[in-house]
Structures are given as C-alpha cells and as structure tokens.
Amino acid sequence: MPVLTAKPTLGDLLKFELNASYNREAVTLKSGTSYPLGAVLGRITASGKYRLAPAAEVVGDEGAETAVAVLLEAVDATSADAIGLIAARGPVILSEAALVFDASVDQAAEKDAKKAQLAALGLVVRVAA
C-alpha cells in the first residue's frame, strides 16, 4: 500500500494567534526562489523586500540576516518578486517543526539565534506535535 504524504498546512505551523488583523502583514518577497510555508524571513534594508534570513550578512541583502517574520503561505517567487502573507508581530506561537531556515542556517546555535530574534517580536517558537 502506498504511503501518502501531505504538504504542511497553516495549522501545522501556527499554533496560536491572538488577532490576525494585528499579527499579519502582506509583504514583497525577493525574486529568485520558491518560499515554503514556515520560511523564516529577514528584511533587506535597502529595498524593504523579504528573503530567507541567512546565517550572516549577504552583500546586497544587508539587514536580511536578522529574522523578523515567518511566512504563512507557500509563495513561488522564482521568476519575479511576489506578495506573501507573514506573521510580523506577536503574540503568536509557532511550531518549531514547521519552520524552514535558509540553507546557510545549518547549526543548532544559528537556528537558536533566529528563534531568539523572532521571540523578541512576540513570535514564540515551541515544540509542538
């Protein structure tokens, strides 16, 4: 019998949100990648666009190394900038298992740093089933 695998849903990521009208924002995602649900994002200072938050500063994308939001939907921005819905401020509780980090964020300490940056905004990451 084949094994069926479901794609992650918003319910897998978002465990608590006080007020969607306050917690969420629509933002512009930088082109060049397909962003998954749960992507940990940073904001590029010069353009105001969002991208996956890298472990360290990237030339041309300064500012994005600080995690400031989590994407609440999958968005394909491979060929052009796209609009995406983010959790921008808390109180929000997110499932740790549903977060997606930039490929450069591959050490536990780097992931912990990103989660701490999110927590400062009220986006609290918890281990959830």
Side-chain angles (χ1 to χ4, degrees):
M1 180 170 246
V3 175
L4 301 177
T5 305
K7 291 183 180 181
T9 66
L10 185 58
D12 295 325
L13 171 67
L14 191 61
K15 297 303 179 182
F16 173 81
E17 179 180 40
L18 183 63
N19 183 340
S21 296
Y22 174 76
N23 300 124
R24 299 178 184 190
E25 287 183 15
V27 298
T28 302
L29 299 169
K30 182 180 175 184
S31 65
T33 190
S34 183
Y35 296 89
L37 169 84
V40 176
L41 303 173
R43 184 175 178 272
I44 302 167
T45 305
S47 67
K49 296 176 186 177
Y50 288 72
R51 61 159 283 174
L52 284 162
E57 186 175 275
V58 174
V59 175
D61 287 350
E62 291 85 358
E65 67 278 0
T66 303
V68 297
V70 175
L71 191 60
L72 298 177
E73 59 185 351
V75 177
D76 183 6
T78 51
S79 59
D81 292 348
I83 302 298
L85 186 65
I86 62 168
R89 66 189 67 81
V92 170
I93 297 176
L94 303 160
S95 171
E96 181 177 41
L99 294 180
V100 178
F101 295 94
D102 184 74
S104 66
V105 181
D106 56 358
Q107 302 296 316
E110 293 169 341
K111 291 179 182 181
D112 288 344
K114 298 296 180 208
K115 291 185 277 188
Q117 292 165 354
L118 293 173
L121 301 169
L123 305 174
V124 180
V125 177
R126 296 278 188 250
V127 176

